[in-house]
Amino acid sequence: MDGTSEYPEHPREKQRGPVVLRRGRRIESTTTDQRLLDSRGPSDWVHTDPWRVMRIQAEFVEGFGALAEVPRAVTVFGSARTPRDHPEYELGRKIGAGLANAGFAVITGGGPGAMEAVNRGASEAGGLSIGLGIELPFEQGLNPWVDLGVNFRYFFTRKTMFIKYAQAFICLPGGFGTLDELFEALTLVQTKKVTKFPVVLFGRSYWGGLYDWVRDSVHAQGKISDKDLALLHLTDDVDEAVAMVEEAYKAWEDTH
């Protein structure tokens, strides 16, 4: 050894909280405190990724805080485009009322259509009606039958609340959003991220084609197991759907 260290010289660095900046990236003309306290200048900072992380954190905190004391609940999804004079709207009201009468709060996306129908049915039956809204490029807002409402900027935060505070999932006929939530729930149950969580497809004529494809293609080709296929429950009967939820909840209680 000639006395020269085998390690490179420790580069000069600057700390930005837990972040270390080295070489050219360490040159900053201001400090974090200065940027916080000096309100002058452009407001572009509210659109930066670090600020978005704080917004995401705030959404989780607000959601957890608002829903932490919610009693047992069922998340119900369906199309925002279902008219009030459509038979599916009346079915939504009956499902909301049936769940409320069984002692469950209902959680929906808080919008119009099938979501409104479920919230309305639960509210009219004296149950707790919850709506978790989402910021969209077009005006929507929470429907008037929501008793407890929380609005979210981010879909993934909202989706966490749909699953975390529910003991079951019922899908009325719906579009991409409903399909998204359906398969997210199925994946979480399949991988045991959530347990004793029935997934009910309400409306055989609407969901039958999807169920047949899952059975005859996905299951038949070995992409899912027998147990995975059994996660899906298909029905046209409100009482049967509520009974499935009650049975699953009782099974969950027996193991906790």
Side-chain angles (χ1 to χ4, degrees):
M1 299 293 291
D2 58 3
T4 302
S5 172
E6 60 181 306
Y7 299 105
E9 180 182 355
H10 187 80
R12 298 180 67 184
E13 64 184 35
K14 179 181 179 65
Q15 290 186 332
R16 186 198 289 160
V19 179
V20 175
L21 304 175
R22 289 177 173 170
R23 301 180 180 87
R25 294 187 177 274
R26 71 182 175 83
I27 307 302
E28 292 186 317
S29 59
T30 59
T31 65
T32 301
D33 276 343
Q34 182 182 351
R35 290 191 293 272
L36 172 65
L37 297 173
D38 188 352
S39 60
R40 293 170 296 177
S43 59
D44 293 347
W45 58 274
V46 300
H47 304 295
T48 61
D49 285 343
W51 185 251
R52 290 191 182 102
V53 171
M54 298 301 294
R55 280 181 171 167
I56 292 166
Q57 179 180 334
E59 288 206 346
F60 278 114
V61 171
E62 288 294 333
F64 292 156
L67 302 173
E69 297 181 353
V70 165
R72 59 184 189 166
V74 177
T75 293
V76 186
F77 257 82
S79 176
R81 303 182 183 188
T82 303
R84 289 178 177 171
D85 59 356
H86 196 284
E88 289 171 5
Y89 186 94
E90 185 58 29
L91 284 173
R93 287 179 68 180
K94 290 179 178 178
I95 289 173
L99 291 169
N101 290 331
F104 290 92
V106 299
I107 303 173
T108 79
M115 293 176 281
E116 176 188 288
V118 174
N119 286 132
R120 181 176 180 177
S123 181
E124 290 173 339
L128 178 58
S129 175
I130 300 167
L132 307 182
I134 185 70
E135 181 181 279
L136 295 172
F138 46 87
E139 201 66 34
Q140 188 172 38
L142 296 176
N143 68 68
W145 282 277
V146 168
D147 300 322
L148 171 60
V150 184
N151 279 301
F152 294 90
R153 283 188 173 93
Y154 301 101
F155 270 109
F156 56 84
T157 313
R158 179 184 185 232
K159 288 163 75 174
T160 299
M161 306 301 159
F162 282 136
I163 297 293
K164 179 174 175 58
Y165 293 102
Q167 277 72 51
F169 198 93
I170 298 177
C171 291
L172 288 164
F176 287 155
T178 303
L179 290 168
D180 175 47
E181 292 295 340
L182 165 62
F183 285 106
E184 172 114 5
L186 286 171
T187 302
L188 291 172
V189 178
Q190 179 196 46
T191 56
K192 300 189 185 302
K193 298 296 184 182
V194 294
T195 56
K196 306 296 182 186
F197 194 99
V199 180
V200 180
L201 299 179
F202 196 93
R204 289 179 181 274
S205 63
Y206 188 85
W207 294 111
L210 175 66
Y211 183 87
D212 291 345
W213 174 76
V214 171
R215 180 193 61 204
D216 299 337
S217 293
V218 184
H219 177 258
Q221 294 182 31
K223 303 297 190 292
I224 60 172
S225 69
D226 293 344
K227 288 184 177 179
D228 297 333
L229 182 62
L231 296 175
L232 279 170
H233 305 277
L234 192 61
T235 185
D236 284 321
D237 187 87
V238 172
D239 292 337
E240 183 180 1
V242 174
M244 289 177 188
V245 171
E246 290 182 301
E247 289 170 10
Y249 184 75
K250 185 179 184 304
W252 180 86
E253 279 190 316
D254 291 343
T255 59
H256 287 73

